[in-house]
Amino acid sequence: MEKTWRWFGKKDKITLDMLRQIGVEGIVTALHDVPNGEIWTEEAINDLKAYIESYGLRWSVVESLPVCEAIKYAGPEREQLIENYKISLANLGKCGVKTVCYNFMPVIDWIRTDLQHLWADGTSSLYFDRVRFAYFDLRILQREGAEKDYSAEELAKVAELDKTITEAEKESLIDTIIVKTQGFVNGNIKEGDKNPVNIFKNLLALYKGIDRDALRENMRYFLAAVMPVCEEYGVNMCVHPDDPPFQVLGLPRIVTNEEDIAWFLNAVDNPHNGLTFCAGSLSAGEHNDTRELARKFASRTHFVHLRSTAAMPGGNFIESSHLTGRGHLIDLIRIFEQENPNLPMRVDHGRMMLGDENKGYNPGYSFHGRMLALAQVEGMMAVVRDEMGIEN
């Protein structure tokens, strides 16, 4: 597997020189300064590609070329946005950047309620608290009909939390759920936006009447439209699983489990239509066994995220060590090395440690923590290759 790293461009405090020194081979990045929906030009792609290559690295994966909301909910701008997307894909292919990770999550990308949940050893990691998320949904967002999405026990816990939660904690929930985790890369809401809750409500309203079947059809329509371009230029599209892999905020989520993955792969049955196998996102759902999913979908996987989560009582989950948790990373490495070797893989998130808060500008993306994770994964890869009789 190719060792890659998500890098956020020339403004990233983690430099390409630092990444080369720790053994990174490929870079996962995007044209973060280009607004969503606009065309990525060959000139801009080649400029960033040449910059990466000047450090002896290669641009392995685009993460991501965002799919605009109007494509997802089939707004009037859909056709033009898809045409722009096709031109960007063609330009990437012409420039030799052949793997594109994207997602089809409506409105909101990955969701956490705490970006720095402390562990006993002083490190911290991302955390999802089901009751605090329900509080945001019910009491802050005040989404119509939200009560039916939670159990009586969860509703009672929200009522108890309402007696003790502070205004600062409420503001922190808003900042964590719909600003920091969404706005740091091409998000719908960004730092400094006024009234983020109202902006978010307006975004949710765009999906009124869009159920699971409608969103699936919109994904199928999009993939069918872009696959001819992918075939012509040899570009692999790989969708990221929904994070977390279950329904939230009344929105349909359609890449959550084995049945969902099989559906979109079969709906547009083309080898360029594939999966980003994110072990962290998938393992956050107790209904998923990452090993079974890897065995089933290895041949249609184009990119791997090696991270792991630990499920906790009440629907909570936390980013775990890469050596533990429900990700079962060494087993995944065995499967992918056997079934689809040479895939680009990147370690993801891990723990914040040793001053990581000063090493990056994006929530949950450590330097030292990911460097430790990379070393752990390298050790697992060495074990697997030894088992397979492959020289390291």
Side-chain angles (χ1 to χ4, degrees):
M1 303 175 87
E2 180 190 28
K3 295 175 289 184
T4 71
W5 187 283
R6 192 171 191 187
W7 175 71
F8 295 96
K10 298 176 184 179
K11 297 176 184 177
D12 199 329
K13 293 179 183 178
I14 302 170
T15 68
L16 294 179
D17 198 41
M18 293 163 68
L19 299 182
R20 180 177 58 182
Q21 290 178 41
I22 64 172
V24 170
E25 298 163 335
I27 296 299
V28 177
T29 193
L31 300 183
H32 294 304
D33 294 331
V34 178
N36 288 5
E38 293 192 8
I39 291 170
W40 289 18
T41 65
E42 287 186 66
E43 180 182 15
I45 295 165
N46 274 324
D47 177 72
L48 185 57
K49 183 171 180 278
Y51 181 80
I52 292 168
E53 289 173 350
S54 73
Y55 286 85
L57 301 165
R58 81 179 192 100
W59 188 353
S60 300
V61 179
V62 171
E63 187 173 354
S64 62
L65 180 57
V67 178
C68 292
E69 297 297 331
I71 295 175
K72 297 174 187 173
Y73 65 77
E77 319 95 308
R78 173 167 70 166
E79 297 305 323
Q80 185 58 59
L81 289 168
I82 289 177
E83 285 304 310
N84 289 356
Y85 204 99
K86 288 160 67 175
I87 294 168
S88 296
L89 283 177
N91 289 341
L92 284 164
K94 292 173 187 175
C95 296
V97 184
K98 303 285 191 175
T99 303
V100 175
C101 173
Y102 70 103
N103 77 70
F104 218 80
M105 289 178 263
V107 180
I108 191 166
D109 199 330
W110 54 288
I111 301 173
R112 300 295 185 274
T113 56
D114 189 348
L115 302 178
Q116 294 186 343
H117 188 84
L118 285 175
W119 290 72
D121 61 3
T123 62
S124 67
S125 64
L126 304 174
Y127 182 66
F128 179 85
D129 184 299
R130 171 82 174 170
V131 171
R132 285 188 172 263
F133 181 75
Y135 185 92
F136 167 80
D137 191 8
L138 292 159
R139 301 299 175 95
I140 297 175
L141 191 60
Q142 297 180 349
R143 179 173 61 88
E144 184 179 352
E147 293 83 1
K148 69 180 184 300
D149 291 344
Y150 302 98
S151 68
E153 182 182 1
E154 288 168 340
L155 293 174
K157 288 180 178 178
V158 167
E160 285 300 310
L161 178 60
D162 193 43
K163 297 175 184 177
T164 59
I165 193 169
T166 66
E167 291 302 314
E169 287 176 310
K170 293 177 187 178
E171 289 300 317
S172 178
L173 272 179
I174 294 168
D175 193 46
T176 297
I177 294 171
I178 61 173
V179 181
K180 278 194 168 64
T181 55
Q182 309 305 313
F184 75 98
V185 178
N186 292 323
N188 291 318
I189 300 174
K190 296 178 173 59
E191 298 273 359
D193 282 344
K194 303 297 183 184
N195 300 315
V197 172
N198 287 338
I199 295 172
F200 193 70
K201 285 181 176 180
N202 290 335
L203 288 166
L204 289 178
L206 295 171
Y207 286 85
K208 187 174 183 179
I210 304 293
D211 61 11
R212 181 177 173 81
D213 289 340
L215 189 62
R216 274 184 163 186
E217 172 54 26
N218 294 343
M219 184 181 187
R220 186 208 61 77
Y221 185 92
F222 166 71
L223 287 170
V226 302
M227 278 301 111
V229 176
C230 292
E231 286 188 328
E232 182 175 356
Y233 294 99
V235 175
N236 288 327
M237 295 281 289
C238 43
V239 72
H240 190 287
D242 299 337
D243 187 0
F246 44 76
Q247 313 308 302
V248 293
L249 302 171
L251 296 166
R253 303 197 104 174
I254 57 172
V255 190
T256 66
N257 57 25
E258 178 180 338
E259 190 267 338
D260 285 349
I261 296 168
W263 180 88
F264 83 79
L265 293 176
N266 292 326
V268 182
D269 191 6
N270 186 303
H272 295 286
N273 172 28
L275 175 68
T276 294
F277 195 100
C278 181
S281 299
L282 292 168
S283 65
E286 291 191 90
H287 55 282
N288 289 325
D289 183 323
T290 57
R291 296 159 295 187
E292 292 294 326
L293 294 174
R295 291 185 190 101
K296 188 171 184 66
F297 299 114
S299 66
R300 293 287 289 273
T301 295
H302 299 314
F303 182 32
V304 178
H305 287 180
L306 289 180
R307 46 178 276 256
S308 185
T309 59
M312 306 172 77
N316 302 345
F317 63 87
I318 193 166
E319 205 78 22
S320 72
S321 162
H322 286 63
L323 299 175
T324 62
R326 300 188 69 254
H328 302 291
L329 299 191
I330 192 165
D331 290 332
L332 297 188
I333 291 169
R334 286 189 180 102
I335 293 164
F336 287 117
E337 287 286 357
Q338 291 170 358
E339 301 294 332
N340 195 354
N342 304 316
L343 285 174
M345 74 81 188
R346 71 172 176 89
V347 296
D348 206 352
H349 297 316
R351 307 264 186 104
M352 301 289 283
M353 59 189 296
L354 301 174
D356 266 331
E357 64 275 9
N358 300 315
K359 292 294 185 185
Y361 67 102
N362 299 311
Y365 283 91
S366 62
F367 176 61
H368 293 115
R370 280 191 287 168
M371 184 169 65
L372 172 61
L374 181 63
Q376 292 170 332
V377 167
E378 283 182 312
M380 294 185 222
M381 290 169 62
V383 169
V384 170
R385 287 172 177 165
D386 185 61
E387 289 173 352
M388 296 173 65
I390 299 172
E391 187 174 339
N392 287 291

Short mmCIF file of all heavy atoms in Angstrom, two decimals, residues 34 89 110 185 378:
data_model
loop_
_atom_site.label_atom_id
_atom_site.label_comp_id
_atom_site.label_asym_id
_atom_site.label_seq_id
_atom_site.Cartn_x
_atom_site.Cartn_y
_atom_site.Cartn_z
N VAL A 34 -10.38 27.00 -4.66
CA VAL A 34 -11.38 27.10 -5.72
C VAL A 34 -12.77 26.89 -5.10
O VAL A 34 -13.01 25.85 -4.48
CB VAL A 34 -11.13 26.06 -6.82
CG1 VAL A 34 -12.21 26.15 -7.90
CG2 VAL A 34 -9.74 26.25 -7.44
N LEU A 89 -12.86 16.84 -13.78
CA LEU A 89 -12.36 15.46 -13.83
C LEU A 89 -11.46 15.24 -15.04
O LEU A 89 -10.40 14.61 -14.94
CB LEU A 89 -13.54 14.48 -13.89
CG LEU A 89 -14.31 14.20 -12.61
CD1 LEU A 89 -15.49 13.27 -12.90
CD2 LEU A 89 -13.42 13.59 -11.54
N TRP A 110 -18.63 15.07 8.20
CA TRP A 110 -18.42 14.26 9.41
C TRP A 110 -18.90 15.03 10.65
O TRP A 110 -18.80 16.24 10.72
CB TRP A 110 -16.97 13.83 9.54
CG TRP A 110 -15.94 14.91 9.49
CD1 TRP A 110 -15.54 15.62 8.41
CD2 TRP A 110 -15.15 15.37 10.59
NE1 TRP A 110 -14.55 16.51 8.76
CE2 TRP A 110 -14.29 16.38 10.09
CE3 TRP A 110 -15.08 15.03 11.94
CZ2 TRP A 110 -13.37 17.05 10.89
CZ3 TRP A 110 -14.16 15.70 12.74
CH2 TRP A 110 -13.33 16.70 12.21
N VAL A 185 -12.64 23.03 5.15
CA VAL A 185 -12.33 22.77 3.75
C VAL A 185 -13.61 22.89 2.93
O VAL A 185 -14.46 22.00 2.98
CB VAL A 185 -11.72 21.36 3.54
CG1 VAL A 185 -11.45 21.12 2.06
CG2 VAL A 185 -10.43 21.20 4.31
N GLU A 378 2.88 1.19 9.48
CA GLU A 378 4.05 0.65 8.79
C GLU A 378 4.46 -0.68 9.43
O GLU A 378 4.84 -1.63 8.73
CB GLU A 378 5.20 1.64 8.84
CG GLU A 378 5.07 2.79 7.88
CD GLU A 378 6.27 3.72 7.96
OE1 GLU A 378 6.66 4.10 9.08
OE2 GLU A 378 6.83 4.07 6.90
#
